[in-house]
């Protein structure tokens, strides 16, 4: 799949929000945002960028009397069931269960498997921090490492938060009403000087153009 026409991109975002709002997720989800091409009003949308704010699973809210987390972990060879991801979710959706290189359940990969199709041109960002907070954190880290591919595009639109969907946000996305600055201008607003903002924007765009299919990034702040 090479991209989405604009209407289909917004439809796809609505599908994602409906799934998060109505289905049991591997971890609690608090917010869903979008950024990138669709927020800028482009048509077609080459890649759909989605940001999910999740809770770190400090205590599994599964019905532990009905679900044996250790048995699920043993059956599928994945550690952290009932700790990193909900045990009842893993029992109901073993096809979406994903592990990191250490064999431990990876919440961001589990969310991606549940929400996305394998060949979709979608980039999913998953973090326990709110979108605006992570923009700042990632900017600080990118500058320290001099690696601007680690930036999070600050031009985000909140679609769903704490159980409430923003119909106005979806309307503006459909009609292309959002007036957003260029990436370099947005980065200048966050404190970068002209030259650094231009360099950062150029490197982030170059990184983005190299991506294909579903890509996922998970952060813990």
């Amino acid at each position: 799949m090479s991209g989405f026409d604009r209407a289909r991109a917004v439809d796809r975002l609505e599908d994602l929000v409906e799934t998060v709002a109505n289905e049991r997720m591997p971890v609690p989800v608090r917010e869903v945002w979008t950024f990138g091409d669709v927020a800028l009003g482009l048509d077609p949308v080459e890649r759909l960028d989605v940001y999910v704010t999740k809770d770190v699973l400090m205590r599994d809210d599964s019905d532990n009397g009905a679900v044996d987390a250790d048995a699920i972990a043993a059956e599928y060879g994945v550690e952290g069931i009932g700790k990193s991801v909900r045990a009842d979710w893993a029992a109901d959706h073993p096809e979406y269960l994903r592990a990191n290189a250490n064999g431990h359940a990876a919440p961001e990969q589990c969310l991606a498997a549940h929400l996305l199709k394998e060949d979709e041109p979608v980039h999913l960002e998953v973090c326990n921090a709110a979108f605006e907070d992570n923009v700042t954190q990632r900017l600080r880290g990118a500058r320290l490492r001099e690696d601007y591919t680690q930036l999070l595009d600050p031009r985000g639109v909140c679609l769903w938060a704490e159980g409430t969907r923003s119909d106005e946000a979806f309307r503006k996305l459909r009609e292309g009403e959002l007036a957003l600055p260029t990436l370099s201008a947005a980065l200048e607003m966050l404190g970068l000087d002209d030259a650094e903002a231009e360099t950062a924007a150029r490197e982030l765009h170059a990184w983005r153009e190299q991506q294909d299919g579903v890509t996922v990034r998970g952060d813990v702040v």
Side-chain angles (χ1 to χ4, degrees):
M1 183 181 291
S2 59
F4 301 92
D5 64 57
R6 181 167 188 76
R8 174 57 186 144
V10 179
D11 287 345
R12 189 68 184 92
L13 289 172
E14 288 194 306
D15 291 343
L16 291 172
V17 165
E18 285 299 309
T19 301
V20 168
N22 296 307
E23 296 185 16
R24 182 76 159 170
M25 293 287 102
V27 290
V29 172
R30 286 184 279 124
E31 296 180 356
V32 179
W33 291 65
T34 193
F35 57 99
D37 289 355
V38 70
L40 298 175
L42 300 184
D43 193 358
V45 174
E46 292 187 6
R47 286 186 70 76
L48 191 58
D49 294 286
V50 180
Y51 184 96
V52 169
T53 305
K54 70 172 183 65
D55 287 330
V56 175
L57 198 66
M58 303 300 293
R59 176 182 173 276
D60 189 8
D61 55 2
S62 301
D63 182 353
N64 291 325
V67 181
D68 187 334
D70 291 337
I72 298 170
E75 180 175 358
Y76 296 104
V78 176
E79 297 297 323
I81 305 299
K83 297 176 182 177
S84 296
V85 297
R86 288 162 162 160
D88 60 353
W89 174 87
D92 290 340
H93 300 288
E95 71 276 20
Y96 299 145
L97 190 57
R98 300 289 187 274
N100 59 26
N102 296 321
H104 206 272
E108 72 280 1
Q109 297 292 339
C110 292
L111 279 165
H114 192 138
L115 295 172
L116 306 177
K117 300 171 185 176
E118 288 185 5
D119 63 344
E120 287 188 296
V122 179
H123 178 62
L124 179 66
E125 296 269 356
V126 180
C127 187
N128 61 303
F131 180 83
E132 297 100 327
D133 293 338
N134 204 18
V135 165
T136 303
Q137 290 285 342
R138 293 268 288 277
L139 177 61
R140 184 179 299 117
R143 296 184 79 182
L144 286 171
R145 299 180 183 89
E146 297 184 350
D147 180 3
Y148 297 112
T149 66
Q150 302 302 305
L151 287 171
L152 178 60
D153 189 333
R155 300 165 299 173
V157 181
C158 185
L159 305 175
W160 182 88
E162 304 291 353
T164 300
R165 168 193 154 119
S166 175
D167 291 332
E168 182 69 2
F170 277 108
R171 184 189 67 78
K172 289 183 176 181
L173 286 175
R174 285 197 179 279
E175 297 176 9
E177 285 190 4
L178 296 164
L180 298 174
T182 64
L183 178 55
S184 58
L187 294 172
E188 285 182 46
M189 294 176 192
L190 294 174
L192 274 63
D193 62 33
D194 292 357
E196 187 179 11
E198 289 287 349
T199 298
R202 185 168 57 252
E203 291 187 12
L204 185 57
H205 283 311
W207 174 85
R208 177 186 171 84
E209 289 174 359
Q210 297 171 3
Q211 308 310 301
D212 185 50
V214 171
T215 53
V216 185
R217 174 172 175 143
D219 280 331
V220 177
V221 174

